[in-house]
Amino acid sequence: MIRTSNRPNRHVFTTLLSSRSLKRYALIVPLTVVFLLTGFGPWCSASPTAPSARDKQVATAVAAFLSRAHLSRQGFDELDDEISERWINAYLKSLDPRKMYFLQADVDEFYKNKHQLDDMIKRHNIRFAYDVYQVYLKRLTEREAAINELIDMDHDFTVDESLSTDFENRGYPKNAAEARELWRKQIKYDFLLQKAAETEIEDARKKLHRRYDTFVENRKQMDGDELLETYLNSLTSSYDPHTSYMSPTTLENFVISMRLQLEGIGAALQMLDGHTVISKIIPGGAADKDGRLEPEDTIIGVGQGTDGEIEDVVGMRLNDVVKQIRGKKGTIVRL
């Protein structure tokens, strides 16, 4: 790893490098570099209604660095339609992984730009990311009202019906009526899970209200840092799944973990379809020694200490879940 600046407002971009690029650096982990974007002025985390001049500069710098240094050797002038199409797919998936919020008409409108994102970023144009996010907020508000209504209604558990969890191949709802029906089945499924956990119906209602209210509030509070990170990570993942861009907040968490100021549980976490999932157990860590956690386990609640209340973390942002789990060495966390 290379650290080129000690300034607090830094941005980290990790990528696979070609062998030619590796010769220009020293003291790095093989095939990986931390690229710190500096010199772009003070960072602003305002509500992401439009990209700032700094956002545009950072985005263009990331795209240029990717094209120049990634081992695929895809030059900046060679960012093509294939990358652009992967990029838009990854971005829509990052916002709506289960296809529960956008309508098919929204996606059709977005896809008019599916071969244009590569050309846009070369012209410092990332407006697309913000336009899509504004539509997302609109649909989020619409679904929020329906979700709360569906949680409060009675459900017939004797009816034989199904809910597809094949999100990759599942289509987006065509209209508001289809969206509501999709959510009716999802809420019914949530109640079945609560019933299996022997949760009383009124407690289950409170829990689901709290879960979805928290999710909607978190998504509405996404700031400029997070939106830019989401958009640029969608670009980097279009090259390969191991390349990522870190916003200042993500970098701060990375630095904390590297300096071992706070301890984790010895597990790598990832956000998958809106859920926090264990991707890897670190050998010798607390989770490994405990022996109960396994890869692909989903974390649905976190409690502090031996008797702290278990807080529902379904729908919570990954960074927030990490903060809940991390603590000083020797303290107890319950999952």
Side-chain angles (χ1 to χ4, degrees):
M1 294 180 185
I2 295 176
R3 187 159 298 151
T4 60
S5 171
N6 290 321
R7 295 168 60 181
N9 291 324
R10 297 173 293 175
H11 310 267
V12 173
F13 176 66
T14 66
T15 183
L16 296 177
L17 296 179
S18 66
S19 58
R20 180 180 178 184
S21 298
L22 285 173
K23 294 177 182 177
R24 298 199 296 267
Y25 298 93
L27 301 176
I28 60 175
V29 177
L31 296 183
T32 303
V33 66
V34 177
F35 174 56
L36 304 179
L37 299 176
T38 61
F40 291 98
W43 182 256
C44 177
S45 298
S47 178
T49 55
S52 67
R54 194 173 194 280
D55 293 335
K56 298 174 186 177
Q57 289 178 308
V58 169
T60 305
V62 167
F65 183 77
L66 249 182
S67 303
R68 184 175 66 251
H70 195 275
L71 66 82
S72 68
R73 305 303 299 277
Q74 188 93 11
F76 187 55
D77 292 331
E78 297 170 356
L79 273 170
D80 58 14
D81 291 347
E82 182 181 355
I83 290 292
S84 183
E85 190 166 349
R86 290 182 200 164
W87 187 359
I88 192 172
N89 287 334
Y91 185 52
L92 295 181
K93 184 176 180 179
S94 68
L95 292 176
D96 189 10
R98 296 184 295 163
K99 300 180 180 176
M100 302 285 286
Y101 291 97
F102 288 128
L103 297 177
Q104 185 61 54
D106 300 328
V107 176
D108 291 342
E109 189 66 27
F110 301 150
Y111 267 55
K112 291 178 180 179
N113 296 284
K114 70 178 181 179
H115 293 155
Q116 303 300 320
L117 301 191
D118 55 322
D119 300 314
M120 290 178 182
I121 200 167
K122 294 171 189 176
R123 300 192 300 268
H124 312 286
N125 181 357
I126 55 171
R127 178 76 214 189
F128 179 79
Y130 298 77
D131 291 342
V132 170
Y133 179 67
Q134 292 306 312
V135 175
Y136 178 66
L137 288 181
K138 179 182 177 182
R139 298 305 180 207
L140 204 63
T141 301
E142 293 171 354
R143 303 293 173 267
E144 183 180 20
I147 289 168
N148 285 321
E149 182 182 337
L150 291 166
I151 291 173
D152 288 331
M153 69 180 284
D154 294 326
H155 295 269
D156 185 356
F157 296 104
T158 65
V159 177
D160 185 10
E161 54 187 356
S162 62
L163 174 68
S164 172
T165 56
D166 182 6
F167 307 125
E168 289 291 335
N169 296 310
R170 187 168 82 182
Y172 291 91
K174 294 183 177 62
N175 50 47
E178 276 197 15
R180 181 183 174 84
E181 177 63 9
L182 181 61
W183 272 105
R184 182 190 67 79
K185 291 182 177 181
Q186 178 63 51
I187 297 300
K188 182 176 179 180
Y189 175 70
D190 291 338
F191 273 116
L192 283 172
L193 292 179
Q194 295 300 315
K195 186 175 182 180
E198 300 182 350
T199 305
E200 295 294 331
I201 186 66
E202 288 307 315
D203 290 336
R205 283 199 170 98
K206 291 177 183 177
K207 188 173 183 177
L208 292 179
H209 275 304
R210 186 167 60 247
R211 172 186 298 178
Y212 286 110
D213 287 347
T214 298
F215 174 78
V216 170
E217 191 64 26
N218 284 338
R219 300 303 271 181
K220 287 181 176 180
Q221 290 180 357
M222 181 181 283
D223 59 24
D225 297 35
E226 293 172 290
L227 186 61
L228 184 63
E229 180 178 45
T230 301
Y231 191 55
L232 293 182
N233 266 326
S234 300
L235 168 61
T236 62
S237 66
S238 301
Y239 279 80
D240 75 87
H242 308 293
T243 301
S244 61
Y245 164 82
M246 294 184 189
S247 70
T249 301
T250 304
L251 173 59
E252 181 182 1
N253 288 330
F254 175 78
V255 170
I256 287 173
S257 64
M258 292 303 292
R259 291 176 178 172
L260 300 179
Q261 292 174 334
L262 295 172
E263 295 282 337
I265 59 172
L269 309 180
Q270 64 177 335
M271 186 59 68
L272 189 62
D273 298 329
H275 292 78
T276 301
V277 178
I278 304 290
S279 61
K280 180 181 180 182
I281 302 297
I282 310 302
D288 182 40
K289 293 176 180 178
D290 179 83
R292 285 176 287 181
L293 275 183
E294 297 179 358
E296 300 186 14
D297 280 350
T298 300
I299 299 177
I300 62 173
V302 179
Q304 304 299 325
T306 57
D307 55 4
E309 181 180 357
I310 296 289
E311 180 175 350
D312 188 347
V313 298
V314 176
M316 190 177 288
R317 293 177 299 184
L318 183 60
N319 279 344
D320 293 334
V321 178
V322 170
K323 289 178 183 177
Q324 295 265 31
I325 294 174
R326 192 169 54 201
K328 294 182 178 179
K329 184 175 181 179
T331 57
I332 293 174
V333 63
R334 299 179 355 269
L335 309 179

